[in-house]
Amino acid sequence: MTEPATVDWKGADELWPSIADAYSRMQGLDDSGAASTSLAARQVDRVQPAGHRPYIAAHRLLTIAHENHLAFLGLVRAIGFGPNAPFNLLRPVLENSLWAIWLLDPRRSHDRRRRGLHYEVLDHKAELAFLEELGKLSDGREYREQAAERRATAGASYRRDAEALGVEYAELGRKVNLTDEVPKLDWLVSRHGTDYARIVVAEWRRLSGYQHTKVWASMFGSDRTFVARIDGGGVAHFVASDDGISLAVGTSGLVLLEAMRLYERRHNGPA
């Protein structure tokens, strides 16, 4: 498929105006709140330890997801839907949206705040690993010093919040397996069902396969035309299938939309 007009989106493109509207509303939300939203989750959380963390992280995640969504639209409108690159833009749309839902999904304030802190501690650990790797260079003293400073400053802040929440700091360094968490997300399951959550996990795995150039992912998402036989196999022409395209576009788009709806709900809806 080399022309955008040849793609049958199967209705997945109908999500795009709703995504644009939801993102516009999200950008217009007042983080400081108002009297009418004094009992909203965002305002309840923000006055307690680590209460700002899930919202800062979720806003960043959704901004990045939306940016990749726009990049995807720009790509397919300009040059059409190729068999690989568009899927690589859809993966961060889906993954970042799922993380945002994971952060804001719990009904209890303590659980939302704990997840916000957990997410930031994992980010902090990755930052330290990056600086420490550069610190191994022969002239890496500057990076080692940066790592030590970040561990002392940001690390101390995270430890204070962990103590206030009654959480063991070591537990916050535990990796979160997102594929295990998706079927437990009440916001998705209550609105779309358990089977849909499983489809989301499967699609996240397929998009990850595209990102890492796995043959199986391309095979599941393409129509193949046999060209010639060669020693040990054959040459085939792969074209992204309408079914594979619509599944990826529809899943990533709907999850992004639901994540922005949840973000808005936590700002305006009752805790």
Side-chain angles (χ1 to χ4, degrees):
M1 296 178 180
T2 57
E3 298 294 333
T6 63
V7 177
D8 179 2
W9 302 105
K10 300 181 181 295
D13 55 331
E14 294 176 11
L15 289 166
W16 297 342
S18 296
I19 289 172
D21 290 343
Y23 186 73
S24 178
R25 291 196 307 274
M26 188 186 89
Q27 293 299 91
L29 291 172
D30 183 2
D31 275 347
S32 63
S36 60
T37 61
S38 60
L39 294 181
R42 171 70 177 84
Q43 292 207 60
V44 170
D45 294 348
R46 68 192 291 265
V47 297
Q48 300 184 79
H52 61 294
R53 300 192 188 280
Y55 299 92
I56 291 174
H59 189 276
R60 182 176 69 251
L61 287 162
L62 292 175
T63 299
I64 294 170
H66 186 257
E67 181 180 335
N68 279 275
H69 167 69
L70 294 181
F72 163 78
L73 294 181
L75 175 65
V76 299
R77 287 168 176 168
I79 64 174
F81 204 112
N84 295 292
F87 293 107
N88 291 339
L89 290 170
L90 292 175
R91 183 198 176 188
V93 175
L94 179 59
E95 186 171 355
N96 285 316
S97 300
L98 287 171
W99 277 119
I101 294 175
W102 178 81
L103 283 165
L104 301 178
D105 187 63
R107 295 177 181 273
R108 296 177 64 238
S109 172
H110 182 276
D111 295 339
R112 291 191 296 271
R113 290 180 285 122
R114 186 188 191 284
R115 287 191 178 185
L117 181 59
H118 193 164
Y119 188 84
E120 287 202 25
V121 169
L122 293 177
D123 188 89
H124 175 61
K125 286 186 64 178
E127 176 192 15
L128 292 179
F130 167 74
L131 292 172
E132 288 166 353
E133 191 63 35
L134 292 175
K136 296 174 184 177
L137 297 171
S138 58
D139 58 348
R141 178 179 177 181
E142 177 185 351
Y143 299 108
R144 294 193 295 272
E145 290 176 348
Q146 287 182 36
E149 181 182 2
R150 289 293 293 159
R151 187 178 291 106
T153 54
S157 173
Y158 297 139
R159 288 179 184 278
R160 285 194 298 271
D161 276 353
E163 183 178 359
L165 287 171
V167 177
E168 290 291 335
Y169 185 75
E171 278 294 304
L172 299 175
R174 178 183 56 82
K175 183 179 179 180
V176 177
N177 189 328
L178 188 57
T179 55
D180 289 342
E181 296 296 316
V182 173
K184 306 173 189 175
L185 296 176
D186 181 65
W187 185 257
L188 279 183
V189 172
S190 64
R191 294 162 72 84
H192 300 284
T194 303
D195 283 350
Y196 181 73
R198 293 294 180 188
I199 290 172
V200 169
V201 172
E203 189 56 17
W204 185 87
R205 293 185 185 280
R206 186 170 73 105
L207 293 178
S208 297
Y210 271 106
Q211 190 109 50
H212 295 289
T213 324
K214 301 300 184 183
V215 174
W216 70 266
S218 296
M219 291 180 65
F220 272 103
S222 302
D223 292 327
R224 302 183 299 282
T225 302
F226 179 77
V227 177
R229 187 172 297 283
I230 60 173
D231 289 343
V235 177
H237 179 61
F238 282 77
V239 178
S241 69
D242 289 335
D243 286 341
I245 291 170
S246 62
L247 179 60
V249 173
T251 304
S252 60
L254 182 56
V255 173
L256 171 58
L257 182 59
E258 289 292 5
M260 290 189 291
R261 285 171 172 167
L262 176 57
Y263 185 87
E264 183 177 5
R265 173 66 176 271
R266 293 295 183 245
H267 276 70
N268 295 330

